[in-house]
């Protein structure tokens, strides 16, 4: 009888536990349903809704996107090379980015330890890069824009280490006009820095409202804005490279044009090719329209640009989950990124520095279109590009010394790969 009683209690206990387990399972399903319905609703884009995009916004996106994509790819590769480069690395770098004028390594005293190509198209000045900024992190990249008499030159440098000690700088430099080949309409884009006009576009720069902007003052508080006068306005966006702002500006309004600007641009390309390849590469006559034709042949197709909208209302994300070309997506976010590293330790170091500066960084492991795995450090994802730019504005005001990038990513990929400590 006692044995039967014990068996009866055991059966009842198992039944109760089974019931509790089923109730808990049902309760968890209901909780998850409520959470997904009211708390964390899955995002979705209405692809039938007409986008409220100003013509000038569409213009600047069209003329600068491919250029900026090239710059960002180059910056990432350079930032991840923190030791003295091999000859193979230098050759591969110059082959991948043919618009880069050259690569050099300089030590702390300014001595040039390596320079490729050895033939210099102009006199290059590395000295400003060696000036120390006490507010910038040791591993931060540094930049310098120079109004060289032969043409504007931009320098971007990454510290070179031996162990934990900085031994010098790995420098990539380029004439800004080289990069214009990647714009489908180089005459419609204006490029300036704090202290110099790097490319006036087809315009008489002094007769545009951009000439009246105090860029040093404007860039202290903003990363995007407008410059207006009685003729119309320009929209501008600032992109930071090595702590130096590169400002893109465009307009859909009519302003006085300087035909000599495009002729000089075409002449620069012919001169550059002649110096690189010998006199046989030069043409006897310079056609002012040659540059535009050249741009059409070398500019990436629209489907390759991560921020260009496709006819279906989708976009091609710049980074993705698998080591293969990313498919278009209609569910995307604007990701504000503060570094992309092949070495995960560098990403962890950037996360720690950002957290110390008062930000809440996250990391993602994503692939580029070449199948390279990157450790992406970011400080926010936004459905609206204006919100992303506001986040960038706050970041720039914080004065961390780090460069930023806004990348369009698939929202589902972000939700799966995003890790926030």
């Amino acid at each position: 009888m006692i044995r039967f009683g014990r068996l009866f209690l055991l059966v009842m206990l198992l039944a109760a536990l089974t019931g509790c387990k089923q109730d808990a399972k049902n309760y968890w399903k209901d909780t998850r349903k409520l959470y997904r319905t009211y708390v964390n609703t899955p995002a979705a884009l209405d692809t039938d809704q007409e986008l409220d995009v100003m013509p000038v916004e569409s213009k600047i996106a069209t003329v600068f996107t491919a250029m900026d994509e090239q710059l960002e790819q180059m910056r990432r590769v350079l930032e991840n090379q923190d030791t003295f480069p091999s000859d193979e690395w230098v050759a591969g770098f110059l082959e991948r980015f043919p618009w880069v004028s050259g690569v050099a390594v300089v030590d702390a005293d300014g001595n040039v330890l390596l320079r490729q190509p050895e033939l210099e198209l102009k006199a290059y000045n590395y000295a400003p890069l060696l000036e120390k900024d006490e507010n910038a992190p040791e591993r931060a990249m540094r930049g310098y824009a120079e109004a060289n008499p032969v043409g504007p030159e931009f320098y971007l440098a990454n510290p070179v280490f031996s162990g934990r000690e900085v031994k010098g700088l790995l420098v990539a430099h380029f004439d800004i006009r080289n990069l214009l080949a990647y714009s489908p309409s180089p005459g419609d884009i204006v490029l300036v820095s704090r202290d110099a006009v790097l490319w006036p576009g087809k315009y008489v720069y002094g007769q545009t409202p951009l000439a009246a902007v105090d860029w040093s003052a404007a860039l202290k508080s903003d990363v995007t804005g407008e410059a207006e006068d009685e003729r119309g306005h320009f929209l501008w966006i600032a992109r930071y490279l090595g702590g130096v702002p590169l400002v893109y500006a465009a307009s859909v309004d009519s302003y006085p044009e300087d035909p000599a600007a495009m002729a000089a641009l075409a002449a620069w390309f012919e001169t550059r090719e002649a110096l690189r390849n010998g006199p046989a590469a030069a043409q006897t006559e310079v056609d002012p329209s040659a540059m535009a034709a050249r741009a059409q042949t070398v500019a990436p197709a629209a489907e390759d640009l991560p921020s260009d909208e496709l006819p279906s209302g989708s976009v091609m994300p710049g980074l993705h989950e698998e080591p293969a070309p990313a498919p278009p997506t209609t569910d995307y976010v604007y990701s504000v990124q503060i570094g992309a590293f092949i070495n995960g330790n560098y990403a962890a170091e950037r996360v720690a520095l950002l957290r110390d500066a008062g930000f809440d960084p996250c990391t993602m492991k994503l692939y580029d279109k070449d199948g390279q795995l990157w450790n992406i450090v970011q400080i926010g994802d936004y459905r609206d590009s204006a919100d992303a730019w506001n986040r960038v504005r706050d970041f720039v005001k914080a004065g961390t010394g780090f460069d930023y990038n806004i990348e369009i990513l698939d929202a589902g990929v972000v939700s799966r790969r995003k890790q926030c400590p």
Side-chain angles (χ1 to χ4, degrees):
M1 187 67 180
I2 294 176
R3 183 177 300 174
F4 175 79
R6 289 177 177 173
L7 180 60
F8 177 78
L9 288 174
L10 179 59
V11 171
M12 293 298 293
L13 180 59
L14 288 174
L17 287 175
T18 303
C20 289
K21 182 177 180 181
Q22 187 62 40
D23 288 343
K25 186 174 182 180
N26 292 337
Y27 178 77
W28 175 240
K29 288 177 60 178
D30 292 342
T31 301
R32 283 197 303 173
K33 184 177 179 180
L34 290 172
Y35 177 74
R36 298 286 286 177
T37 302
Y38 299 105
V39 180
N40 188 19
T41 306
L45 295 181
D46 183 0
T47 56
D48 296 326
Q49 182 180 358
E50 293 188 6
L51 298 176
D52 184 19
V53 178
M54 296 172 58
V56 69
E57 293 176 333
S58 177
K59 166 70 78 173
I60 197 169
T62 299
V63 297
F64 100 98
T65 298
M67 296 171 58
D68 194 65
E69 177 70 10
Q70 285 289 317
L71 278 174
E72 175 59 17
Q73 290 180 15
M74 186 271 284
R75 185 194 68 80
R76 287 181 178 177
V77 173
L78 189 67
E79 188 176 29
N80 281 274
Q81 182 64 34
D82 65 351
T83 58
F84 198 97
S86 65
D87 292 342
E88 291 76 17
W89 186 93
V90 173
F93 184 84
L94 292 174
E95 181 179 2
R96 180 172 180 181
F97 305 109
W99 48 270
V100 171
S101 301
V103 172
V105 176
V106 295
D107 65 18
D109 297 321
N111 299 309
V112 179
L113 308 178
L114 175 150
R115 181 173 59 219
Q116 284 293 338
E118 295 184 0
L119 173 65
E120 291 190 341
L121 302 184
K122 56 178 104 167
Y124 299 120
N125 180 18
Y126 308 112
L129 296 167
L130 298 171
E131 298 175 2
K132 292 185 178 180
D133 183 353
E134 300 298 334
N135 297 320
E138 185 179 42
R139 197 179 287 278
M141 303 185 78
R142 56 195 74 179
Y144 165 52
E146 176 186 55
N148 191 297
V150 184
E153 195 78 8
F154 197 102
Y155 301 79
L156 186 62
N158 196 49
V160 173
F161 289 80
S162 177
R164 294 182 175 273
E165 185 178 354
V166 177
K167 290 295 185 179
L169 297 173
L170 172 59
V171 185
H173 56 90
F174 57 94
D175 188 307
I176 201 71
R177 293 170 295 182
N178 297 345
L179 201 57
L180 290 167
Y182 291 87
S183 173
S185 182
D188 291 330
I189 190 77
V190 178
L191 294 165
V192 300
S193 64
R194 284 194 185 99
D195 306 312
V197 179
L198 303 178
W199 168 242
K202 62 186 178 183
Y203 305 103
V204 179
Y205 184 81
Q207 297 184 38
T208 70
L210 297 170
V213 177
D214 182 345
W215 291 109
S216 293
L219 292 168
K220 285 182 179 179
S221 57
D222 274 310
V223 291
T224 183
E226 296 183 4
E228 301 180 73
D229 64 7
E230 65 279 0
R231 291 190 179 96
H233 74 286
F234 276 78
L235 177 66
W236 59 267
I237 295 174
R239 174 81 156 85
Y240 279 72
L241 287 169
V244 177
L246 179 61
V247 179
Y248 302 92
S251 177
V252 293
D253 300 311
S254 297
Y255 284 92
E257 297 183 7
D258 180 8
M262 294 302 291
L265 182 62
W268 159 251
F269 266 87
E270 300 304 334
T271 301
R272 176 172 173 263
E273 291 303 313
L275 289 172
R276 283 189 169 185
N277 303 321
Q283 295 182 0
T284 56
E285 295 183 3
V286 176
D287 181 2
S289 63
M291 184 59 224
R294 183 188 181 96
Q296 293 291 345
T297 62
V298 300
E303 59 266 23
D304 293 332
L305 305 182
S307 61
D308 274 6
E309 288 189 287
L310 303 178
S312 63
S314 60
V315 299
M316 296 294 295
L319 295 164
H320 42 92
E321 201 164 15
E322 300 296 335
T329 177
T330 57
D331 187 11
Y332 54 88
V333 293
Y334 296 89
S335 174
V336 179
Q337 300 174 7
I338 318 297
F341 306 92
I342 296 175
N343 189 324
N345 293 329
Y346 294 169
E349 180 183 88
R350 181 64 53 87
V351 165
L353 290 171
L354 289 171
R355 192 182 300 114
D356 291 343
F359 293 93
D360 296 317
C362 301
T363 59
M364 294 179 289
K365 292 184 180 295
L366 297 174
Y367 294 90
D368 63 18
K369 63 182 180 182
D370 297 320
Q372 174 65 60
L373 179 63
W374 294 89
N375 296 275
I376 311 296
V377 180
Q378 52 110 276
I379 57 172
D381 300 303
Y382 302 91
R383 292 288 172 178
D384 193 310
S385 62
D387 292 335
W389 280 107
N390 287 335
R391 183 60 165 164
V392 167
R393 183 178 293 111
D394 294 339
F395 177 76
V396 171
K397 287 180 181 178
T400 63
F402 294 123
D403 300 332
Y404 66 83
N405 180 49
I406 296 179
E407 189 90 41
I408 297 179
L409 299 178
D410 184 286
V413 171
V414 171
S415 67
R416 291 188 294 270
R417 305 302 293 268
K418 185 173 178 179
Q419 296 182 350
C420 304

